[in-house]
Amino acid sequence: MNRETIYKLIRKYKDNTATESEKETLTEWYRSVANQDAEFPDDEESVEEEMLLRLNQQTKPQKPHRFFLKRWSVAASILFLLSAGAIFFIKKNGSIQKPELAHNMIIAPGGNKAILTLANGQKISLTDAQKGQIIQQKGVQISKTADGQVVYTAATDSKESSGAIAVAQYNTMETPRGGQFQLFLPDGTRVWLNAASSLKYPVDLGSAGERRVELSGEAYFEVAHNKDRPFRVITNRQVVEVLGTHFNVSAYNDEPNTKTTLLEGSVKVTGGDKSAMLKPGQEVSLTDHFKVSDVDTEEAVAWKNGYFRFDDERLETVMRKVSRWYNVDVVYRDNDVKDDLFAAVTTRFANISTLLKIMEQTGDASFSIEGSKIIISKKVKK
C-alpha cells in the first residue's frame, strides 16, 4: 500500500468517515508493518500524532475488543497491541520493534477467581464451582454461567420468594490478587470486580428503601435504573449515589486516592463535607482534598476491558496494578525509579515477562524475577 493511500485512510478514520472495510485495511497494514519490523513512513507531522493505532484487544480470548489510542504527549515510547498476544512499541523516531523476552520465568496473568461468602459464613469457591445453580438463599437463586459470571435471580419455586426479607442478609464476593469476576445482582445491576477487591451486598438488594453495597478495591458498575430506590456504593472515603448509570470506582487501601469515574448517566459523590454531581467524562479524586476533573474514561475502565492503560503514570503506581493482577510482590533496590513516568497500552493476558521487557527497553528501570517477586533497580549505564 502506498503512502498516499495510508494517510488517506488515517485521515478518514480521524474524521469518522472510514468504512468498516477501510478500517480493516488499515489494521492489516499495521500488522504487516509490525511483522516486517519496518519503519513507519516519514511525514511532517509526528508519527505519534498522525497515527491512530488500531488495537485489536481482547476481554476474552475468543471475543476481540477494538479501540483506538489518542495521542500520547510524553516523550517515552508507546506500547500498543496489534493482535492478541503480540506486543510492540514505537520509538520516538517512529520505528516499530518487537521485544525479545528478557526473562524466561513464566508468571501467568490473572483470571476469573473469587470466593463467595454467604450470610451464614459459608464460603464457596467460584473458581471451582461448576456452571448452573450454586445455592439458593431466601427467595434468591445463585447460579454460575458458562462464561464464569455469578447471577442472582428470584427463586420462583421458593415459598420465600415473595415478600421482603425481615432481616437483611449480606453476601460478600472477594477476588484475590490475580483474580477478577463478574456479578449480576438481583435488581439487574451488573458488576465487574477487579483483582484484590471485595463487594458486600444484600441478598435481595431490596429489603430496605435503598440499594446499598460496600466496596473495597475496584469495581465497574452498570446500575439498573430505579427512580424510587437509589443505588449507593460505600467505600472507606466516599459515598456514590445513583439511580441508574455506568461508572467505575477505585478505592484500594494501598492507593493514595479514591476515584469515581462516570461513563454514562449521573452520580452524586460525597466525601467528607463535600459533594459533587458528575457528568459523563468527569472524575472525582479524593485524597486530602476533593477534586473534580474531566478525564479520558478509557483509562479508568481499561482493566474491565482486558488491558492495561498507563497514561503518563509513575512506575510505582504502574507496578501496584501489575502486582495485583499477576499476584507478585515488588521490591525496589533503587527508589529513584519509582518516579519514572510510563505510558502504555497492553493486554492484561500476556506473560508478565513480556511487559517487563518492554518496560526495560522504554525506561530507566531494570527488572528481574525471583520466584514471585519482581526486583526493580536502576539501569547501569554502559
Side-chain angles (χ1 to χ4, degrees), residues 7 13 44 49 69 106 129 179 183 188 201 204 206 249 263 277 285 292 310 317 339:
Y7 286 114
Y13 177 75
E44 64 275 5
E49 180 176 4
L69 270 181
I106 296 176
L183 171 66
Y201 51 93
D204 72 338
V249 178
L263 284 81
M277 291 293 297
S285 178
V292 179
F310 308 129
T317 302
D339 292 324

Side-chain angles (χ1 to χ4, degrees), residues 177-369:
R177 293 204 307 172
Q180 63 179 11
F181 227 87
Q182 290 186 43
L183 171 66
F184 279 86
L185 294 172
D187 69 331
T189 292
R190 190 176 183 183
V191 183
W192 286 255
L193 202 60
N194 202 353
S197 302
S198 69
L199 187 74
K200 182 179 179 181
Y201 51 93
V203 173
D204 72 338
L205 206 65
S207 59
E210 67 173 7
R211 297 173 290 170
R212 178 188 177 102
V213 302
E214 298 176 21
L215 172 68
S216 174
E218 185 168 22
Y220 176 79
F221 296 85
E222 291 185 354
V223 177
H225 184 77
N226 188 327
K227 66 178 182 179
D228 298 320
R229 291 170 53 218
F231 189 101
R232 292 185 174 91
V233 180
I234 314 299
T235 73
N236 61 342
R237 289 184 175 182
Q238 65 178 19
V239 177
V240 183
E241 181 178 335
V242 303
L243 297 177
T245 188
H246 299 181
F247 61 99
N248 192 81
V249 178
S250 178
Y252 285 108
N253 291 329
D254 62 348
E255 294 290 352
N257 55 6
T258 296
K259 296 179 180 179
T260 297
T261 312
L262 181 64
L263 284 81
E264 182 179 308
S266 64
V267 300
K268 179 181 180 181
V269 182
T270 302
D273 59 353
K274 295 185 178 180
S275 64
M277 291 293 297
L278 295 188
K279 298 177 182 179
Q282 289 187 322
E283 179 178 271
V284 165
S285 178
L286 180 61
T287 50
D288 54 351
H289 60 281
F290 191 93
K291 181 182 178 182
V292 179
S293 56
D294 295 329
V295 297
D296 183 349
T297 58
E298 282 288 343
E299 182 183 0
V301 299
W303 69 270
K304 172 248 180 187
N305 291 330
Y307 61 98
F308 287 115
R309 177 166 174 168
F310 308 129
D311 227 345
D312 202 5
E313 291 188 41
R314 294 176 66 246
L315 179 60
E316 185 177 25
T317 302
V318 169
M319 292 309 298
R320 280 199 294 266
K321 296 177 181 179
V322 171
S323 171
R324 284 192 287 263
W325 181 237
Y326 286 94
N327 189 20
V328 293
D329 295 321
V330 178
V331 177
Y332 293 91
R333 294 223 170 117
D334 293 283
N335 287 327
D336 290 347
V337 298
K338 291 182 179 180
D339 292 324
D340 286 357
L341 297 182
F342 192 64
V345 174
T346 179
T347 176
R348 295 218 307 175
F349 297 104
N351 189 304
I352 195 173
S353 59
T354 304
L355 176 61
L356 297 181
K357 175 59 179 176
I358 297 174
M359 292 171 70
E360 277 190 349
Q361 293 180 334
T362 59
D364 295 327
S366 176
F367 301 84
S368 62
I369 301 174

Side-chain angles (χ1 to χ4, degrees), residues 90-101:
I90 299 176
K91 287 188 172 181
K92 193 67 178 178
N93 64 8
S95 64
I96 183 168
Q97 297 186 4
K98 290 182 184 179
E100 297 178 358
L101 296 186

Side-chain angles (χ1 to χ4, degrees), residues 151-179:
V151 180
Y152 280 68
T153 55
T156 55
D157 60 340
S158 172
K159 297 179 180 179
E160 300 172 289
S161 61
S162 59
I165 299 174
V167 178
Q169 297 185 4
Y170 288 84
N171 289 352
T172 302
M173 178 181 283
E174 298 175 87
T175 54
R177 293 204 307 172

